[in-house]
Amino acid sequence: MIKRQTTINRIFKVSGIGLHSGSEVTLEFLPRREFGIAFVYKGELIPARYDMVGDTRLSTQIGCNGVNVSTIEHLMAALYFSGITNCLVYINGPEVPILDGSAWEFYQGMWKAGVYEFPETEVYLKVLRPVEVHHNDSWVKAKPLNTLEITMSIEFRPPVGKQKKRVMDVENAFSIINSRTFVLQEEIEAIRKIGLAKGGSLDNAVVIGSDDIMNPLGLRYKKELVNHKILDLIGDLYTSGYRILGKIEAHKTGHYLNNLFLKELFSDPKNYSLY
Ligand SMILES: [Zn+2]
């Protein structure tokens, strides 16, 4: 377990296209002495925190004084898995690149950069009593536990159907990191109509056809799709600013509900303690 505040040991860059904007973006990761993760775009410092989250339709967007950065969730999950608590992310466009659709390349960059430890602690948030949120037929529930455990269930039309996965030791669940984002073939047209997914292709998303996966190499894991939903949840939970400890169960959740969960969690200081 990570005990202290940490940052990256050296600067590194990652470039790629945004899934929704389709435009090329470069990120530069810099060490940070202050606690927390923050983006810098157009000279604006935007803390990657749940109370800065705006649009949650197809990705998690944060913003400050009218300057927004979207699709932060996979990058946030990579920071979580790397154990990095303090980092500045300079970005030269409004959307974090999608890369291969997972958190893999970010994680690799962080791993190569290495981790620098500060003396300060208080990086964990422990859930002290049950907290839950619902929206239509989806929900997120948390109960006290000394580690982070996530149980996720999803339900889509065939050939996906129902999938469920329980991850007991999330900090070391490495099959989550390179599980890719996915979309149903029939949804692509609707998403493009609202001006999103311009950069989407079989290179950065799993596309679910009417009776099979359309990517030539198929899935990376049998449970890649539910794994990816766990990846999104981990990234979104890290906008709490802390490494959450608790037993979390989620059903058909998405970025909106993940954010609502954090708002509910922080609405009463009796719900949690920091250490
Ligand atoms: Zn995702």
XYZ file of all heavy atoms in Angstrom, residues 73-74 101 181 228 231-232 255, ligand 1:
67
model
N -10.632 10.220 -17.365
C -10.786 9.056 -16.479
C -9.709 7.978 -16.612
O -9.293 7.394 -15.612
C -12.195 8.450 -16.623
C -12.585 7.996 -18.021
C -13.209 9.091 -18.885
O -13.116 10.280 -18.549
O -13.801 8.722 -19.929
N -9.240 7.680 -17.832
C -8.232 6.610 -17.970
C -6.887 7.068 -17.422
O -6.162 6.292 -16.797
C -8.096 6.173 -19.430
C -9.398 5.750 -20.039
N -9.614 5.707 -21.385
C -10.573 5.359 -19.460
C -10.852 5.298 -21.627
N -11.459 5.108 -20.471
N -7.388 3.157 -26.006
C -8.702 3.003 -25.383
C -8.626 2.551 -23.938
O -9.644 2.404 -23.272
N -11.937 0.712 -23.842
C -13.288 1.262 -23.903
C -14.069 0.535 -25.015
O -13.476 -0.052 -25.909
C -13.222 2.779 -24.161
O -14.491 3.337 -23.923
C -12.786 3.125 -25.567
N -13.242 -2.799 -18.159
C -13.124 -1.382 -18.517
C -14.054 -0.505 -17.687
O -13.705 0.618 -17.327
C -13.356 -1.144 -20.012
C -13.062 0.278 -20.359
N -11.782 0.741 -20.567
C -13.869 1.371 -20.418
C -11.813 2.044 -20.756
N -13.066 2.460 -20.675
N -12.261 0.124 -14.665
C -11.221 1.134 -14.923
C -11.811 2.553 -14.861
O -11.260 3.442 -14.207
C -10.593 0.888 -16.294
C -9.475 1.851 -16.709
C -8.177 1.487 -16.012
C -9.270 1.830 -18.205
N -12.938 2.743 -15.538
C -13.611 4.053 -15.519
C -13.988 4.450 -14.084
O -13.806 5.601 -13.689
C -14.891 4.014 -16.365
C -14.617 4.106 -17.860
O -13.511 4.536 -18.251
O -15.520 3.733 -18.633
N -20.151 7.710 -15.828
C -19.441 8.858 -15.261
C -20.349 9.763 -14.415
O -19.935 10.289 -13.397
C -18.779 9.674 -16.372
C -17.866 8.835 -17.208
N -16.767 8.198 -16.692
C -17.909 8.485 -18.518
C -16.158 7.512 -17.648
N -16.839 7.671 -18.771
Zn -13.416 4.494 -20.283
